[in-house]
């Protein structure tokens, strides 16, 4: 079992996870993918929680201290706090995570045709370079 270590910026985690989840490798490679997806999902969930904390820290609050949400799910911010939120997000997204990865993951990704959303192609290209 060959395992390498890779450092990846957190801004690529969600694209990496969704793209790898779309793959359909054969049995042996599927086990390799699934084992890696477990660690990747953990790192992705941590990113999502950290992002949520940033939003909650800067968002407007109701009188009872709860988050003031627009349409029940979108945070509202003071204009002067939007810059602070964005600065915090840039810092978060540029932090790196270290993951143990089997080199076969690159082959699994490359052998699958992907449907990318806007902006995901560049992230995918960066991920492939890191592998």
């Amino acid at each position: 079992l060959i395992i390498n270590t890779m450092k990846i910026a957190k801004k690529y985690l969600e694209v990496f996870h969704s793209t790898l989840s779309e793959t359909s490798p054969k049995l042996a490679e599927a086990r390799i993918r699934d084992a890696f997806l477990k660690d990747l999902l953990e790192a992705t969930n941590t990113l999502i929680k950290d992002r949520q904390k940033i939003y909650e820290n800067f968002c407007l609050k109701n009188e009872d201290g709860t988050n003031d949400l627009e349409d029940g799910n979108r945070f509202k911010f003071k204009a002067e706090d939007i810059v602070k939120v964005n600065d915090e997000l840039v810092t978060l997204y540029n932090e790196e995570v270290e993951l143990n990865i089997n080199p076969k993951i690159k082959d699994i990704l490359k052998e699958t045709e992907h449907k990318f959303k806007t902006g995901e192609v560049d992230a995918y290209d960066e991920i492939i370079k890191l592998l």
Side-chain angles (χ1 to χ4, degrees), residues 66-127:
T66 59
N67 298 328
D68 186 7
L69 300 176
E70 187 175 314
D71 299 327
N73 64 356
R74 290 188 8 219
F75 291 99
K76 296 191 316 191
F77 304 96
K78 292 180 191 174
E80 61 267 18
D81 286 341
I82 291 174
V83 171
K84 295 175 189 173
V85 170
N86 287 334
D87 287 346
E88 290 291 330
L89 290 173
V90 167
T91 299
L92 175 65
Y93 289 144
N94 286 326
E95 291 174 355
E96 289 186 330
V97 174
E98 193 168 305
L99 299 169
N100 293 323
I101 186 165
N102 187 306
K104 290 187 182 260
I105 294 294
K106 183 174 186 174
D107 296 332
I108 293 169
L109 278 174
K110 288 178 126 184
E111 292 169 4
T112 303
E113 188 174 313
H114 303 286
K115 295 177 185 169
F116 295 107
K117 296 176 189 159
T118 304
E120 289 184 343
V121 173
D122 290 339
Y124 175 80
D125 289 344
E126 277 301 312
I127 293 164

Side-chain angles (χ1 to χ4, degrees), residues 17-74:
H17 185 267
S18 66
T19 305
L20 191 58
S21 296
E22 294 173 3
T23 62
S24 305
K26 293 186 171 82
L27 285 176
E29 289 179 333
R31 287 191 299 275
I32 291 168
R33 182 211 48 202
D34 292 348
F36 179 69
L37 271 174
K38 182 180 168 189
D39 291 339
L40 186 56
L41 179 60
E42 185 177 316
T44 303
N45 284 338
T46 300
L47 168 68
I48 292 167
K49 287 176 188 171
D50 290 346
R51 182 174 56 213
Q52 183 78 10
K53 287 177 190 173
I54 292 169
Y55 292 149
E56 290 175 354
N57 187 52
F58 289 100
C59 77
L60 294 173
K61 305 286 185 206
N62 295 316
E63 287 182 19
D64 64 0
T66 59
N67 298 328
D68 186 7
L69 300 176
E70 187 175 314
D71 299 327
N73 64 356
R74 290 188 8 219

